DNA sequence: TACATTTGTAACTGGTTGGTCACATTTTTT
DNA sequence: AAAAAATGTGACCAACCAGTTACAAATGTA
């Protein structure tokens, strides 16, 4: 057979991304990655230093959130800016499966292996939604609603509904977007 | 040794509850439960029909949310009622580890075994927070914020922070409560 | 007392996990 | 060409998993 380390490393990394996207945190094990990549698992240890090293590589490369980098240029301040960030952010969140699975991961564990990955993800999330540390009711309400958006997005993978709300309908997400927008507006008016 | 089926069944059930509360969904396996109960795992199959049956028993007995039953008497309508439900609900949610782990579970899977359990849990959550199916901005905003509260509660088990917000401080949760309250107020005023 | 039923345990099956090892083959260097 | 280094594979290990089986001991009943 042909031998090509660079290509093999790429196959392993792509297999990891693919599995994380499809199966979530539970799906990324050494055996599963090796099988998906069609390669001996020994090479994962040799080239990346196991799953731990693979995660570190992932965190440093940081090519989740790729499609969002255009946003975090300006520093938000005005109300319409905040509304814009919110709308763009929620849309992206719903479409980016990889990010969703990392966020799901944070609800399951946080050990030495995942530490760096989560740290970087969080800073990116903060930028996307323009979340600052102002101690205002609006900011707290905003964070709560972003958290809710994340929650419902993750929930929708396995559950059709939250109580009576149908998470599969586009209308539901439009309603959430509008409620978020209106809340910002109301807080700003008073 | 002494033989006592009723006592053994209780030991198994308590072991299950204990493991779910401490270790979460990942912690409740047949072997772990049997070990925790100090009993042969065969008995779990014989008395409950395995994990599936144990979950069914749990769902039917429904003694999570025990401490909340006093709430869901009245049907919410007024603004102050909604605020009251929100405040009591969030407080209870933060204190009830068992409920938290079931909610976490819903983010991981939803199969034939867990179906009934989740169904019952959701109806209880709906009652606690007096969530109805009115198609208003306030209702959507409210649901989003309750979702956020659930998210941050689950997140706080493994993560100290959400972006810059310290989830370990009581003050943070007070801020969330106040923001929730104020949002209801603002929506009602306009 | 003798037999049947219930309660309980321990061992075993077949499968999966993460991790390591010895070996073969290809590529590079001398 | 010969030696050395890099690349890749499959087997192996110990630990775990769910589930089943065979058997022992206690309890109930005839």
């Amino acid at each position: 057979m042909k031998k090509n380390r660079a290509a093999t490393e790429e196959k392993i990394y792509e297999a990891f991304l693919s599995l994380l996207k499809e199966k979530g945190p539970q799906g990324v094990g050494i055996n599963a990655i090796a099988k998906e990549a069609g390669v001996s698992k020994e090479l994962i240890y040799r080239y990346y230093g196991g799953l731990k090293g693979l995660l570190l590589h992932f965190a440093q490369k940081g090519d989740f959130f790729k499609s969002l980098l255009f946003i975090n240029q300006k520093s938000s301040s005005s109300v319409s800016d905040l509304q814009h960030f919110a709308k763009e952010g929620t849309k992206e969140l719903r479409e980016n499966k990889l990010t969703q699975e990392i966020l799901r991961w944070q609800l399951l564990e946080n050990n030495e292996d995942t530490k760096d990955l989560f740290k970087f993800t969080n800073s990116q999330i903060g930028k996307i939604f323009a979340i600052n540390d102002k101690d205002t009711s609006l900011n707290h309400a905003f964070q709560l609603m972003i958290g809710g958006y994340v929650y419902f997005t993750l929930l929708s993978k396995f559950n059709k509904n939250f109580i009576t709300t149908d998470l599969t309908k586009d209308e539901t997400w439009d309603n959430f977007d509008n409620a978020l927008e209106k809340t910002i507006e109301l807080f700003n008016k008073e």
Side-chain angles (χ1 to χ4, degrees), chain A:
Chain A
M1 75 296 294
K2 262 197 349 188
K3 295 194 172 184
N4 186 338
R5 171 162 178 170
T8 300
E9 285 183 350
E10 189 64 18
K11 276 196 290 183
I12 291 170
Y13 186 62
E14 288 301 322
F16 163 75
L17 291 182
S18 170
L19 281 173
L20 180 56
K21 210 193 298 184
E22 303 170 16
K23 315 251 180 181
Q26 324 286 41
V28 289
I30 290 291
N31 290 311
I33 295 171
K35 190 176 178 182
E36 174 81 11
V39 110
S40 174
K41 63 179 168 178
E42 230 288 317
L43 303 183
I44 301 178
Y45 290 100
R46 204 179 289 169
Y47 297 156
Y48 287 100
L51 185 57
K52 179 189 170 83
L54 200 50
L55 286 183
L56 191 66
H57 176 78
F58 182 35
Q60 286 170 345
K61 226 185 159 197
D63 53 16
F64 39 95
F65 283 130
K66 207 183 304 181
S67 58
L68 280 179
L69 292 184
F70 71 95
I71 298 185
N72 54 6
Q73 311 289 10
K74 41 163 90 174
S75 64
S76 79
S77 50
S78 77
V79 179
S80 65
D81 267 0
L82 199 58
Q83 288 175 330
H84 175 73
F85 274 70
K87 197 143 196 169
E88 288 299 315
T90 56
K91 184 181 172 230
E92 173 61 22
L93 183 63
R94 280 189 65 200
E95 289 168 357
N96 195 326
K97 302 270 184 214
L98 201 50
T99 304
Q100 286 168 28
E101 295 308 331
I102 299 172
L103 289 170
R104 191 189 312 279
W105 211 335
Q106 295 192 41
L107 295 168
L108 299 184
E109 59 182 339
N110 193 355
N111 52 44
E112 205 54 47
D113 293 4
T114 59
K115 201 178 165 186
D116 289 331
L117 178 57
F118 293 168
K119 191 177 171 184
F120 191 73
T121 311
N122 276 329
S123 77
Q124 290 298 85
I125 286 272
K127 284 182 198 162
I128 285 158
F129 288 105
I131 290 175
N132 54 47
D133 54 358
K134 283 181 195 147
D135 195 36
T136 64
S137 285
L138 171 57
N139 192 33
H140 301 138
F142 185 63
Q143 287 193 33
L144 217 38
M145 295 180 91
I146 296 301
Y149 217 102
V150 172
Y151 179 65
F152 290 135
T153 302
L154 299 186
L155 190 63
S156 69
K157 181 173 183 180
F158 297 113
N159 295 77
K160 225 176 88 75
N161 298 296
F162 171 74
I163 318 297
T164 59
T165 303
D166 188 340
L167 299 175
T168 65
K169 284 164 73 178
D170 284 341
E171 194 193 333
T172 297
W173 300 96
D174 289 339
N175 287 336
F176 284 152
D177 277 343
N178 292 336
L180 188 41
E181 201 170 337
K182 188 159 187 178
T183 303
I184 295 172
E185 199 182 307
L186 285 180
F187 268 94
N188 196 256
K189 253 195 258 178
E190 63 104 33

